Amino acid sequence: MINININHMNLKRREFIRLGGITVAGSIIIPSVFQSCKGVSVSDNAGSYMDHFEVTPEQLQKVISTALEKGADYADLYFEHTLSNNCTLEDGKVNSAYSNIRFGVGIRVLKGDQTGYAYSEEVTLEAMLKAARTAANIANSSSSAGPLNINEFQPPNFYPVINSWENTSIKEKIPFLQRMNEKVFAGDKRVTKVNAYLIDSSSYIMVFNSEGKLAWDFRPMAVMVAVCIMEDQGKTENFYVTRSFRTGSEFLTNDLVDELSGEVVKRTALLFDATKPKAGEMEVVMGAGESGILLHEAMGHAFEADFNRKNTSIFSDKMGKKIAENFVNIADDGTIPGNRGTLNFDDEGNATEKTILVKDGILNSYLHDRISASHYKVKPTGNGRRQDFRNIPIPRMRCTYMENGPHKREEIIASVKNGIYVDNFSNGQVNIGAGDFTFFVKFGYLIENGKLTRPIKDINIIGNGPQALADLVMVADDKQLSNAGATCGKEGQGVPATFGMPTIKVKKLTVGGING
Amino acid sequence: MNTSEKYTLANLVMDHALKNGADQVSVAIFDSRRSNIDLRDQKIDKLTESIRNSLSIELYVDKKYSVHSTSRMKKDELFRFIEEAIAATRFLAEDEFRSLPDPELYYKGGSDDLKTFDGNLNSIDAKAKIDLATMVMNEAFGKDERIISVTASYSDGISNTVMVTSNGFKGDSSNSNAALSAEVSVNGGTGRPSDYWYENAIFYDKLINTDIGKKALERALNKIGPKKIASGKYQVLIENRTASSVLSPLFSALSGSSIYQKQSFLIGKENKPIASTELTIYDDPFIPSGFGSQLFDNEGLKSVKRPIIEAGVLRNFYIDTYYGKKLKMKPTSGSSSNVVFASGKRDLKGMMETIKKGIFITGFNGGNCNGSTGDFSYGIEGFFIENGKIVHPVNEMNISGNMNQFWFNLIETGSDVLENDSFRTPSLMFKDIDFSGI
């Protein structure tokens, strides 16, 4: 594999600008004469990012000292330039495309656990100083900060890009969506509609804070979606599948299309035979992979330290306590190469890591941002994330998964007399304080006398977080990560997140279904 | 940018696109300002200010279609952006159904102001806002020993949009709103229930500023000690502020794109009964100071008041220009404005008193609906009702059913219409709904 470093990326981007018109809607134009590095010395890579945002080290220092002038403890600047594209196939043709450019800087000022925040879509010194003065109002004394040294932070790159989306023409994307259409239609004669979407984005990120830390990152993202509609004897069924990775356009392969089209056809066809289970409490087996949604909703959010710092999480008093069987180990990892939830550093400029949330059944760590880490006097875990420069960072998950356990998948299914097996979901939610969480099952099976029997679909499952963790009685050894394009929402901010799981059994959850 | 500067830029951009090969163009320029103050436990937790700009352009080039948006407003950059976008659009497949709306259907000016903008909102000073949030905070903070955390917030915002199209539409609209809210978490022994209350208004001086913290606290305390009850069919009363959750699959099934994509359970049901005779819904864009009021929609189509469902009979879908052509249906509008119900005679309490045994739903937790089939299943929170009275809170329960049947089970709509939302929903009462519990 060829790794192209960030500096080259940047040069390529400019080359593209000169070519123009080869992709859907492009980049902004930066004057080639702009030179950031006059007084303070920074590396070429850092310099290229400063050029990108048309700022100088002196300007960054000035904005930070303005942000601190009312006596705050800390300030940071988050520069973002994101280009996103969406191509859509409908009626057998790629006949619409959408693109968006997001560009600006967010300025955050902290005084203890209090936050002042403002952003500007204009990155001029004047506009930045205005936003900095607004954000500074969270503090109400006065102070003056001395000159700041710049410490460049260079973490490992977990998502090296071979072909950037910016250099990928819409012309190169179309054949893959077209192939998806053909493959899905060829898969089953009952198919009546196919929709396919290819969504990509490229983000240039630069973070500078009042500790002098300067970090920069190029973040790619790719999502492919296939939607299948089938009609049979007056009944209509629909299903969709998605895949998403932090990667460039090397994402586009015939294998990917064939995998998605095969899966969507197979699942849609099964829905015609699907039934609904009986309503009420029962044993639930959750298949490897996408079932990680259980971890995300039942415990992941409740482990986010902002809720615990405020004592509003149902897990607020459980640190260091036994909350699950010994074979339960849960991690939240921001370092899995190419994963949708991975970040080279979080949106506060802190290194990401694999954070062990539950170790041998004991609650081991929360997920921290800067404010909560300082409250708990621990090291930040690299979970401070934000949707974009218009929003403040808060503790968020990355890729949350359970490690393998001692059981076998077959053994788990065989242990259930009357219950359900589920492995495909559309959405979930949790109530942090009460602990009630839900997830919506797109597809699964009834389990009768230890065997998977009829397919089931469209049911909601509800449980209580701490109880579900305690009721997690079997864990298999077949861990899989789900690469479905999940987006996690919290306080109005959406961020990409992933999860994973081996096959597990929960002793009792409440399953939506029919009565009588 | 003021409104006239936005028109100038929009026309400039439109002309540039037409000169560079676009056959038809629609340009919208939007800006907004928002401010937000959060107090937590009597201390300022967050102050945020935001000013946003965006320009979006729809291009129709050689029967090919694309949409682009950007927050970068410099003229030269925009020109370059559009040239690239036009070049890229040429790679797409032709789509004979894409075009701007029929100009006959455009709003052409001259209607009365719908009073959706408070020109004074920008001059309210920060201290007044903090004082309001503090008032909300003080209604709850320290009022009960079981309180864990109280958050009180004030927020407001204004926005302005200008739109022009190359076949003759021009229009602008301005909106404002101000809101106060409180969220309270309490220690409930095993769980830590929380709840919220909010008030909002288009005009600052109409904003209700009392009983917000108090209601949030009462609601949180009421949730202490929930119990799950037996699975079965129950009568159900859905509180007005949460009823939009069961309405959203219905509205999604009414849209032209869902119908065309076969993701609607209402295909072919026009002028047929889809609900009990208790359900009458109008789409009314003209309510003075309504939260969804508009003189034209996002394509420029002139607003029209329309029946959606009359005494249970489906009268109108939400059809935009594109799907109208594909479906050979007349465009109405692709999205809802103010959704207005024929309200009933009894209020929430009056309806609750008629329930012998049932469940009062005050919130939904997750769940979804299959658009093609109408099968749904949602997690709920609320209360068990016996002989017209609340017995205890319930938790960990789901309701399930099919939308085609569910709306026929509607037996009463309340008189308690929610006025501070574009969905002006009353509380809704249904019979025989499937619940899963123990």
Side-chain angles (χ1 to χ4, degrees):
Chain A
M1 204 160 74
I2 305 155
N3 296 353
I4 297 172
N5 73 31
I6 289 160
N7 200 25
H8 281 136
M9 286 300 316
N10 207 347
L11 292 173
K12 276 200 152 184
R13 193 187 66 83
R14 289 175 190 219
E15 190 180 359
F16 152 69
I17 289 168
R18 282 198 294 278
L19 292 169
I22 56 160
T23 181
V24 159
S27 323
I28 57 148
I29 292 159
I30 290 159
S32 56
V33 292
F34 193 84
Q35 289 286 321
S36 61
C37 313
K38 286 177 195 142
V40 183
S41 159
V42 294
S43 70
D44 285 353
N45 276 334
S48 78
Y49 271 75
M50 291 209 189
D51 288 355
H52 191 111
F53 291 103
E54 302 184 69
V55 292
T56 63
E58 291 78 8
Q59 287 177 345
L60 298 184
Q61 289 163 330
K62 187 152 190 212
V63 176
I64 287 286
S65 72
T66 303
L68 297 176
E69 74 190 5
K70 296 228 169 138
D73 312 324
Y74 170 87
D76 57 26
L77 317 177
Y78 180 87
F79 294 85
E80 178 190 0
H81 175 203
T82 295
L83 304 110
S84 45
N85 296 294
N86 179 351
C87 299
T88 299
L89 178 137
E90 177 172 319
D91 293 333
K93 296 179 294 192
V94 179
N95 52 17
S96 61
Y98 305 84
S99 77
N100 180 253
I101 296 178
R102 193 161 70 206
F103 187 97
V105 56
I107 300 179
R108 179 173 69 147
V109 178
L110 299 181
K111 173 78 182 172
D113 58 4
Q114 299 173 283
T115 305
Y117 196 74
Y119 68 78
S120 174
E121 290 173 335
E122 244 185 279
V123 182
T124 59
L125 181 61
E126 188 192 6
M128 286 191 286
L129 290 176
K130 187 163 175 263
R133 286 189 197 105
T134 305
N137 282 326
I138 194 69
N140 53 9
S141 55
S142 71
S143 78
S144 65
L148 208 52
N149 291 320
I150 293 182
N151 311 309
E152 294 181 23
F153 172 55
Q154 280 187 283
N157 188 358
F158 300 116
Y159 32 83
V161 170
I162 298 172
N163 296 310
S164 117
W165 288 106
E166 290 169 280
N167 288 336
T168 306
S169 156
I170 192 163
K171 208 174 157 186
E172 296 164 60
K173 300 175 185 175
I174 288 173
F176 294 95
L177 292 170
Q178 221 54 74
R179 183 184 178 95
M180 182 77 80
N181 185 63
E182 284 149 25
K183 288 274 171 181
V184 177
F185 270 109
D188 195 302
K189 60 182 186 308
R190 294 171 292 178
V191 175
T192 55
K193 294 260 179 201
V194 175
N195 288 82
Y197 306 90
L198 173 63
I199 302 151
D200 64 74
S201 71
S202 307
S203 293
Y204 295 82
I205 303 292
M206 182 170 79
V207 181
F208 182 63
N209 72 18
S210 57
E211 290 158 0
K213 189 180 207 177
L214 177 71
W216 59 91
D217 197 11
F218 179 78
R219 297 177 180 171
M221 185 63 81
V223 186
M224 176 93 89
V225 184
V227 186
C228 173
I229 307 280
M230 284 191 201
E231 290 176 77
D232 193 8
Q233 294 168 22
K235 273 178 79 182
T236 307
E237 293 291 353
N238 74 74
F239 204 80
Y240 65 88
V241 295
T242 63
R243 286 289 186 284
S244 177
F245 296 93
R246 244 188 224 294
T247 178
S249 62
E250 58 272 19
F251 174 67
L252 295 171
T253 63
N254 287 340
D255 286 351
L256 171 76
V257 172
D258 297 354
E259 187 184 316
L260 284 170
S261 55
E263 197 178 313
V264 81
V265 168
K266 191 177 131 209
R267 296 267 182 163
T268 316
L270 285 167
L271 295 177
F272 288 104
D273 300 323
T275 183
K276 282 193 175 182
K278 193 173 166 315
E281 294 178 344
M282 63 189 74
E283 286 187 304
V284 176
V285 176
M286 302 187 67
E290 227 169 88
S291 299
I293 193 170
L294 172 81
L295 305 178
H296 185 96
E297 302 299 353
M299 40 220 98
H301 276 297
F303 290 170
E304 289 166 346
D306 46 348
F307 298 121
N308 291 288
R309 173 170 69 82
K310 297 170 188 172
N311 275 322
T312 56
S313 165
I314 190 139
F315 286 98
S316 300
D317 52 6
K318 303 272 196 294
M319 184 53 70
K321 292 188 181 158
K322 182 106 166 102
I323 56 172
E325 298 281 354
N326 288 340
F327 50 74
V328 173
N329 287 283
I330 303 170
D332 182 79
D333 193 341
T335 67
I336 301 164
N339 189 278
R340 178 175 165 82
T342 292
L343 289 172
N344 290 334
F345 54 81
D346 74 0
D347 297 325
E348 303 183 298
N350 288 316
T352 51
E353 58 169 31
K354 175 175 172 180
T355 308
I356 311 295
L357 302 177
V358 177
K359 192 172 179 351
D360 303 330
I362 291 167
L363 178 53
N364 180 67
S365 175
Y366 294 132
L367 299 171
H368 290 287
D369 64 359
R370 166 176 278 271
I371 294 178
S372 73
S374 134
H375 173 90
Y376 284 100
K377 299 186 172 57
V378 295
K379 225 174 95 223
T381 54
N383 289 86
R385 301 184 62 189
R386 52 177 129 201
Q387 177 176 292
D388 54 33
F389 71 90
R390 299 187 181 106
N391 289 283
I392 60 166
I394 47 177
R396 303 299 293 264
M397 285 171 263
R398 299 159 304 202
C399 177
T400 314
Y401 56 87
M402 185 179 291
E403 305 284 9
N404 280 333
H407 304 98
K408 297 281 175 206
R409 180 178 187 271
E410 297 69 28
E411 168 192 12
I412 292 176
I413 294 168
S415 74
V416 178
K417 189 161 184 299
N418 267 305
I420 58 170
Y421 172 91
V422 294
D423 66 357
N424 220 286
F425 311 89
S426 65
N427 55 292
Q429 197 174 316
V430 61
N431 186 330
I432 298 296
D436 283 8
F437 67 89
T438 69
F439 48 85
F440 189 81
V441 176
K442 273 159 67 189
F443 188 81
Y445 289 94
L446 293 178
I447 309 179
E448 294 167 294
N449 298 317
K451 293 203 164 58
L452 302 186
T453 57
R454 279 189 78 178
I456 53 169
K457 63 171 178 123
D458 299 333
I459 50 162
N460 203 46
I461 294 186
I462 190 163
N464 190 272
Q467 189 60 48
L469 257 183
D471 285 348
L472 224 154
V473 288
M474 295 175 97
V475 177
D477 55 357
D478 56 352
K479 181 185 112 184
Q480 272 182 39
L481 296 183
S482 161
N483 293 307
T487 296
C488 165
K490 176 177 170 185
E491 294 176 18
Q493 296 193 51
V495 298
T498 54
F499 28 75
M501 189 94 134
T503 303
I504 59 124
K505 179 168 95 171
V506 183
K507 195 160 72 177
K508 193 174 76 180
L509 290 172
T510 302
V511 175
I514 42 175
N515 294 290
Chain B
M1 271 186 283
N2 62 30
T3 303
S4 113
E5 287 164 342
K6 285 194 200 97
Y7 272 115
T8 306
L9 182 61
N11 281 313
L12 204 66
V13 162
M14 183 168 75
D15 290 345
H16 190 77
L18 291 169
K19 266 184 224 143
N20 283 276
D23 307 312
Q24 288 192 312
V25 183
S26 165
V27 179
I29 299 181
F30 163 89
D31 62 19
S32 71
R33 180 201 59 73
R34 285 208 69 77
S35 77
N36 194 81
I37 297 162
D38 284 356
L39 307 184
R40 193 168 69 84
D41 302 346
Q42 293 196 303
K43 203 168 82 169
I44 292 178
D45 191 51
K46 262 180 251 160
L47 289 177
T48 58
E49 282 279 338
S50 66
I51 295 168
R52 266 186 95 151
N53 295 286
S54 84
L55 178 143
S56 77
I57 181 164
E58 284 183 40
L59 295 169
Y60 302 81
V61 185
D62 303 341
K63 295 184 183 156
K64 297 164 180 179
Y65 173 78
S66 66
V67 186
H68 311 271
S69 55
T70 176
S71 58
R72 305 277 293 178
M73 293 292 163
K74 283 182 198 151
K75 197 182 82 184
D76 293 349
E77 275 185 30
L78 284 170
F79 281 7
R80 189 60 187 265
F81 176 63
I82 288 159
E83 289 157 28
E84 282 182 12
I86 290 172
T89 307
R90 295 189 197 275
F91 288 121
L92 297 171
E94 285 185 14
D95 187 343
E96 56 179 317
F97 300 105
R98 287 286 181 193
S99 75
L100 287 173
D102 175 357
E104 284 297 306
L105 301 176
Y106 279 147
Y107 171 70
K108 295 182 183 75
S111 298
D112 288 344
D113 173 27
L114 293 172
K115 299 191 166 49
T116 55
F117 182 71
D118 181 355
N120 295 324
L121 198 55
N122 254 352
S123 57
I124 312 295
D125 72 21
K127 179 160 186 317
K129 299 176 183 182
I130 293 171
D131 288 348
L132 279 177
T134 307
M135 228 166 90
V136 171
M137 168 63 65
N138 290 342
E139 283 185 357
F141 189 78
K143 300 287 190 231
D144 191 290
E145 61 192 12
R146 291 165 291 182
I147 292 173
I148 296 170
S149 174
V150 181
T151 306
S153 305
Y154 171 91
S155 67
D156 64 23
I158 55 171
S159 65
N160 175 252
T161 306
V162 161
M163 189 174 132
V164 298
T165 69
S166 60
N167 65 349
F169 176 82
K170 67 182 187 98
D172 58 89
S173 60
S174 294
N175 292 85
S176 64
N177 80 305
L180 280 166
S181 65
E183 188 177 5
V184 180
S185 290
V186 296
N187 191 341
T190 49
R192 297 169 185 234
S194 66
D195 210 331
Y196 66 93
W197 192 258
Y198 74 96
E199 297 289 349
N200 61 347
I202 287 171
F203 288 86
Y204 179 79
D205 60 13
K206 296 264 172 65
L207 179 63
I208 294 169
N209 56 29
T210 54
D211 287 352
I212 298 168
K214 190 168 161 243
K215 282 182 183 160
L217 172 60
E218 275 169 18
R219 291 178 73 102
L221 291 174
N222 286 342
K223 285 185 179 174
I224 291 177
K227 279 185 272 190
K228 203 190 296 200
I229 61 171
S231 301
K233 285 187 190 293
Y234 291 90
Q235 192 163 334
V236 56
L237 180 58
I238 302 178
E239 190 182 20
N240 58 3
R241 77 168 192 185
T242 198
S244 61
S245 300
V246 289
L247 284 160
S248 79
L250 188 64
F251 276 74
S252 160
L254 286 167
S255 89
S257 68
S258 302
I259 295 163
Y260 187 76
Q261 311 290 355
K262 309 251 181 200
Q263 304 247 22
S264 168
F265 54 87
L266 295 175
I267 293 170
K269 299 270 174 77
E270 200 170 2
N271 294 316
K272 291 184 182 152
I274 60 158
S276 82
T277 54
E278 296 300 316
L279 191 65
T280 294
I281 298 176
Y282 276 78
D283 189 275
D284 184 354
F286 301 115
I287 297 170
S289 294
F291 281 72
S293 295
Q294 57 186 26
L295 295 171
F296 53 87
D297 73 0
N298 58 5
E299 291 191 283
L301 302 181
K302 182 179 180 341
S303 291
V304 177
K305 179 178 173 179
R306 286 192 173 83
I308 304 300
I309 297 164
E310 278 180 321
V313 177
L314 175 57
R315 294 299 184 201
N316 270 298
F317 291 106
Y318 286 96
I319 308 290
D320 66 8
T321 301
Y322 179 62
Y323 285 103
K325 285 188 180 176
K326 284 189 137 177
L327 292 161
K328 299 191 173 56
M329 291 167 84
K330 253 182 77 182
T332 51
S333 173
S335 52
S336 64
S337 64
N338 296 299
V339 174
V340 181
F341 288 74
S343 53
K345 294 187 182 63
R346 283 189 281 228
D347 63 5
L348 181 72
K349 189 162 166 283
M351 287 198 289
M352 197 183 292
E353 280 166 2
T354 68
I355 299 176
K356 285 212 167 58
K357 196 174 171 190
I359 292 174
F360 171 42
I361 295 177
T362 56
F364 286 92
N365 187 348
N368 208 331
C369 176
N370 180 328
S372 297
T373 63
D375 289 325
F376 69 85
S377 186
Y378 297 102
I380 61 119
E381 54 186 46
F383 299 88
F384 177 52
I385 307 291
E386 218 167 22
N387 299 319
K389 291 204 169 56
I390 286 177
V391 186
H392 62 76
V394 294
N395 67 342
E396 276 189 71
M397 294 183 74
N398 290 304
I399 63 167
S400 303
N402 185 285
M403 281 282 152
N404 282 312
Q405 182 53 49
F406 180 71
W407 290 100
F408 283 101
N409 289 20
L410 178 72
I411 49 176
E412 192 170 339
T413 60
S415 60
D416 57 337
V417 171
L418 192 70
E419 284 179 351
N420 56 357
D421 196 293
S422 64
F423 270 66
R424 299 167 76 93
T425 46
S427 295
L428 303 171
M429 192 153 67
F430 298 81
K431 63 175 183 190
D432 294 338
I433 302 300
D434 269 311
F435 278 81
S436 61
I438 296 169

